[in-house]
């Protein structure tokens, strides 16, 4: 277990403490995007009520009015105050990046998509954005990611369950729309392939199958877009500058902790 402020993050192999249907649910009054969670507050409240609180939505999700916001599991020792509990989940008109790194990645992907629109037609800007997307994915790809976080009180009793986000979701968010909108640009195809080749050597073994799936999707898109053999070969050659970088291969990508 690792200390997380005033609560403990249980090992990833810990059992899900939600063993039965919720005894009570707390619903959203006004709705909005989940901007953040008071995780320590959730653990303190669950300890006070002697229950387990499960957050029903991930940070970044839009929650409509009346939707379930929190689930109360177990048999609380006192009456649960829904208004107080709902205040531990911050809702707002828009997503924010403070507790929602996926939103920062979403913004980068949107910038690239706009640059690749027919109205703008600026693939070089999209390539520059891919530099930042690649840095983001390398950092996330080497981080500990969980589909759910089980947090405990100081005595080690599970008190809160918070949904997380996995590697495949971050990867799809970072590259899908750039591939779909940018396949017609040689430099975008080449830069995107270099990005994915780099991830193959830069992330742990267990996360490489997802990268290979994205490479296969890129191959399929290039196959459809470039019927001519020479242009297809160019589109399938990784280049860290898009065009003019001399091309690259998976072995050219920087390794974690390696020489620059």
């Amino acid at each position: 277990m690792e200390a997380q402020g005033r609560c403990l993050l249980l090992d990833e192999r810990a059992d899900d403490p939600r063993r039965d249907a919720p005894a009570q649910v707390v619903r959203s009054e006004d709705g909005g995007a989940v901007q953040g969670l008071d995780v320590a507050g959730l653990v303190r409240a669950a300890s006070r009520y002697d229950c387990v609180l499960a957050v029903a939505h991930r940070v970044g999700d839009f929650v409509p009015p009346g939707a379930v916001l929190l689930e109360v599991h177990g048999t609380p020792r006192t009456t649960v105050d829904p208004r107080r509990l709902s205040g531990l989940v911050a809702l707002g008109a828009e997503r924010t990046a403070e507790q929602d790194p996926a939103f920062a990645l979403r913004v980068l992907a949107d910038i690239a998509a706009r640059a690749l629109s027919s109205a703008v037609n600026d693939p070089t800007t999209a390539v520059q954005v891919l530099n930042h997307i690649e840095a983001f994915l390398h950092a996330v790809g080497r981080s500990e990611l969980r589909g759910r976080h089980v947090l405990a009180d100081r005595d080690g009793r599970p008190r809160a369950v918070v949904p997380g986000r996995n590697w495949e979701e971050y990867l799809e968010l970072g590259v899908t729309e750039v591939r779909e909108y940018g396949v017609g640009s040689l430099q975008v195809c080449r830069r995107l392939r270099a990005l994915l080749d780099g991830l193959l050597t830069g992330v742990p073994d267990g996360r490489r199958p997802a990268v290979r799936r994205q490479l296969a999707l890129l191959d399929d898109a290039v196959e459809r877009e470039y019927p001519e053999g020479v242009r297809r070969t160019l589109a399938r050659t990784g280049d860290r500058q898009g065009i003019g970088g001399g091309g690259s291969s998976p072995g050219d990508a920087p390794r974690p902790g390696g020489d620059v």
Side-chain angles (χ1 to χ4, degrees):
M1 295 187 294
E2 300 176 4
Q4 296 288 318
R6 298 182 180 180
C7 51
L8 298 170
L9 177 61
L10 294 182
D11 187 272
E12 189 173 9
R13 294 165 293 183
D15 292 335
D16 192 333
R18 298 169 293 180
R19 303 191 184 281
D20 300 305
Q24 183 177 343
V25 296
V26 176
R27 298 186 179 276
S28 167
E29 292 186 5
D30 301 322
V34 180
Q35 295 179 334
L37 307 171
D38 182 352
V39 175
L42 288 168
V43 171
R44 286 196 299 269
S47 297
R48 183 169 62 251
Y49 293 123
D50 192 20
C51 66
V52 174
L53 295 175
V55 180
H57 301 274
R58 290 189 297 194
V59 174
D61 285 354
F62 179 81
V63 181
V68 175
L69 196 61
L70 293 166
E71 297 177 350
V72 181
H73 291 265
T75 306
R77 65 164 62 100
T78 60
T79 303
V80 171
D81 182 350
R83 188 176 294 274
R84 175 174 293 182
L85 288 182
S86 64
L88 300 174
V89 181
L91 300 180
E94 298 179 349
R95 295 170 69 178
T96 63
E98 184 176 354
Q99 290 189 27
D100 186 8
F103 180 57
L105 187 56
R106 171 73 272 168
V107 171
L108 288 172
D110 284 348
I111 294 171
R114 282 195 294 272
L116 293 168
S117 69
S118 58
V120 178
N121 193 25
D122 183 7
T124 300
T125 292
V127 166
Q128 294 297 313
V129 173
L130 281 172
N131 295 340
H132 299 286
I133 290 176
E134 181 175 21
F136 185 105
L137 290 175
H138 271 278
V140 170
R142 300 169 195 164
S143 301
E144 183 179 3
L145 300 173
R146 302 183 181 189
R148 62 177 172 84
H149 303 272
V150 179
L151 298 122
D153 58 22
R154 291 178 175 178
D155 295 323
R157 288 188 293 267
R159 292 302 187 187
V161 180
V162 178
R165 196 181 302 273
N166 62 36
W167 163 242
E168 288 81 359
E169 291 169 321
Y170 279 111
L171 182 59
E172 289 173 356
L173 180 56
V175 304
T176 297
E177 290 190 343
V178 179
R179 180 188 67 244
E180 294 298 311
Y181 292 122
V183 66
S185 166
L186 277 174
Q187 66 170 314
V188 171
C189 290
R190 289 162 63 91
R191 181 64 185 93
L192 185 54
R193 181 169 298 276
L195 180 156
L196 293 169
D197 285 344
L199 287 175
L200 276 180
T201 61
V203 299
D205 290 346
R207 293 180 178 170
R208 293 176 185 176
V211 180
R212 294 189 181 97
R213 286 193 291 272
Q214 291 299 326
L215 277 167
L217 289 171
L218 179 59
D219 283 340
D220 289 344
V222 168
E223 189 82 11
R224 293 192 301 269
E225 184 71 20
Y226 299 94
E228 306 94 340
V230 174
R231 296 187 73 230
R232 181 185 300 166
T233 298
L234 288 173
R236 295 186 63 175
T237 302
D239 190 327
R240 303 196 69 79
Q241 295 183 26
I243 293 177
S248 64
S249 66
D252 297 329
R255 297 177 182 273
D259 296 333
V260 177

